[in-house]
Amino acid sequence: MQANERQLLPLEVAPLTSTFFARLRGQDLLRSRLVYIASSPVRVARTPRLAAQTDGDHIFKLVWQLRGGALMTQGGQTIRLAPGKMTIYRLSSPYQLHTHGDYRALMLKVDLADMPEWRRLAERCEGLAIPVDAAAHAALAALRVQLRWGSDPSIGQVEDAALELVFGSFWRYQREQLYNAPMPSERLTKARRVVLERLADTLLAPEDLAYALNMSVRGLYDEFRRYRMTPPAAFIRELRLEQCYLALLDATPQRRSITHIALEHGFSDGAHFARVFRKRYGVSPGDLRARGKQLG
């Protein structure tokens, strides 16, 4: 697959059939690289040596699965990709991709070094098989057109619009997962529900979680340690921040002020909230809110 290094980053390629074929078509956009790939079954690997050549850990690849299927393994986690699914992953981490059937995919390599708010969303969705919703489907259609039109003067506008649509999809997916993602145990599921129901309670503490779960404080800490979770206090703080993060990206017309969002999620001091938020996400609440306007 000699076209591999021209269109994609270097990979180790092992065809899985005697009649192997691959067809790649690529297009440079303003801040990303777009590639359409069609191939017979193949196993590809970005080895540790090849991954180490990536210029930083802020370069990601977004993949829309169009036809056929694939198993992707990265960081000890394996996901199954089928038509109607998409995923995003970091190119500085080694991975393996094992395709089957009549494989078709559209891939977008994008550098998020100067987009900390989008990078955070990419990290949250990294290595997940995410359903392609209407917005992500529209982004896919817009990008596929670029492969036919080539270097069109409007390419930057199309690229920006497509990325806004995709990251809007990621935001909606994460908002849903915050409430519904599986937890390691029923007690931890209930603990999450208690925290989410009492986000505005600035006095909420591990002792309150233990009481709600009908267990001792020591038993509560043991439960979190058993499943290698962060300690209860950090768990509460993380859920507060996650909810604030999603609220700041919310593009609905009825907007609340940043101070209001901080208060209703249990932060009693706006300046403290801004410091903690920036430390956690690498972006200020105000800058993230500006990105939320674009997502809307």
Side-chain angles (χ1 to χ4, degrees), residues 7 34 71 80 106 113 122 193 235 262:
Q7 305 288 6
L34 182 66
L71 287 176
R80 182 181 301 274
L106 190 74
R193 185 169 64 249
F235 177 76

Side-chain angles (χ1 to χ4, degrees), residues 203-268:
L203 300 179
L204 181 64
E207 291 78 8
D208 300 299
L209 287 186
Y211 180 81
L213 271 59
N214 194 28
M215 59 193 308
S216 67
V217 173
R218 179 175 179 178
L220 178 72
Y221 276 82
D222 287 343
E223 181 77 3
F224 275 76
R225 278 194 295 266
R226 181 177 300 115
Y227 296 100
R228 298 181 180 180
M229 302 279 290
T230 59
F235 177 76
I236 295 171
R237 183 175 64 252
E238 181 68 10
L239 282 177
R240 292 190 194 280
L241 288 170
E242 291 286 288
Q243 280 284 65
C244 288
Y245 182 93
L246 294 173
L248 287 165
L249 280 178
D250 190 353
T252 55
Q254 293 77 25
R255 283 181 169 269
R256 296 153 292 175
S257 69
I258 293 176
T259 299
H260 188 183
I261 289 174
L263 292 175
E264 69 181 8
H265 291 87
F267 293 96
S268 56

Side-chain angles (χ1 to χ4, degrees), residues 81-102:
L81 292 172
K85 298 287 187 179
M86 62 181 179
T87 191
I88 190 166
Y89 53 92
R90 205 184 313 247
L91 292 178
S92 59
S93 299
Y95 65 85
Q96 290 188 357
L97 187 71
H98 186 160
T99 74
H100 57 84
D102 184 16

Side-chain angles (χ1 to χ4, degrees), residues 1-221:
M1 199 158 129
Q2 295 180 349
N4 167 52
E5 294 193 11
R6 293 198 304 273
Q7 305 288 6
L8 305 170
L9 292 175
L11 299 168
E12 289 189 356
V13 181
L16 299 177
T17 62
S18 57
T19 56
F20 174 72
F21 81 90
R23 183 173 72 256
L24 294 92
R25 185 175 181 181
Q27 175 68 42
D28 284 323
L29 306 181
L30 292 185
R31 66 166 63 95
S32 56
R33 172 71 177 168
L34 182 66
V35 176
Y36 170 81
I37 180 170
S39 78
S40 56
V42 65
R43 183 173 61 250
V44 300
R46 188 152 174 81
T47 64
R49 178 182 64 83
L50 294 175
Q53 298 175 15
T54 306
D55 187 18
D57 63 355
H58 44 77
I59 300 176
F60 291 80
K61 184 180 286 185
L62 174 66
V63 179
W64 285 265
Q65 188 69 32
L66 305 177
R67 191 183 300 175
L71 287 176
M72 180 179 174
T73 301
Q74 186 177 46
Q77 180 180 0
T78 299
I79 61 170
R80 182 181 301 274
L81 292 172
K85 298 287 187 179
M86 62 181 179
T87 191
I88 190 166
Y89 53 92
R90 205 184 313 247
L91 292 178
S92 59
S93 299
Y95 65 85
Q96 290 188 357
L97 187 71
H98 186 160
T99 74
H100 57 84
D102 184 16
Y103 181 73
R104 302 282 191 277
L106 190 74
M107 303 177 178
L108 187 70
K109 173 191 164 191
V110 60
D111 187 341
L112 300 180
D114 298 325
M115 304 175 190
E117 59 282 353
W118 281 1
R119 178 176 173 180
R120 174 58 183 158
L121 274 175
E123 290 170 346
R124 290 160 62 112
C125 295
E126 190 174 359
L128 301 176
I130 300 173
V132 177
D133 64 7
H137 186 77
L140 170 64
L143 290 170
R144 294 184 76 169
V145 168
Q146 296 305 308
L147 291 174
R148 296 196 295 269
W149 281 87
S151 298
D152 186 271
S154 65
I155 192 170
Q157 293 174 308
V158 173
E159 179 185 24
D160 286 344
L163 288 172
E164 298 286 357
L165 288 167
V166 168
F167 282 93
S169 294
F170 286 167
W171 172 74
R172 286 184 291 274
Y173 180 81
Q174 283 297 316
R175 182 178 58 181
E176 179 181 346
Q177 290 300 299
L178 184 61
Y179 289 91
N180 301 322
M183 296 292 283
S185 72
E186 290 185 9
R187 282 176 169 170
L188 290 173
T189 299
K190 184 175 181 181
R192 177 177 63 187
R193 185 169 64 249
V194 170
V195 175
L196 292 175
E197 289 173 350
R198 297 180 59 181
L199 283 175
D201 183 357
T202 59
L203 300 179
L204 181 64
E207 291 78 8
D208 300 299
L209 287 186
Y211 180 81
L213 271 59
N214 194 28
M215 59 193 308
S216 67
V217 173
R218 179 175 179 178
L220 178 72
Y221 276 82

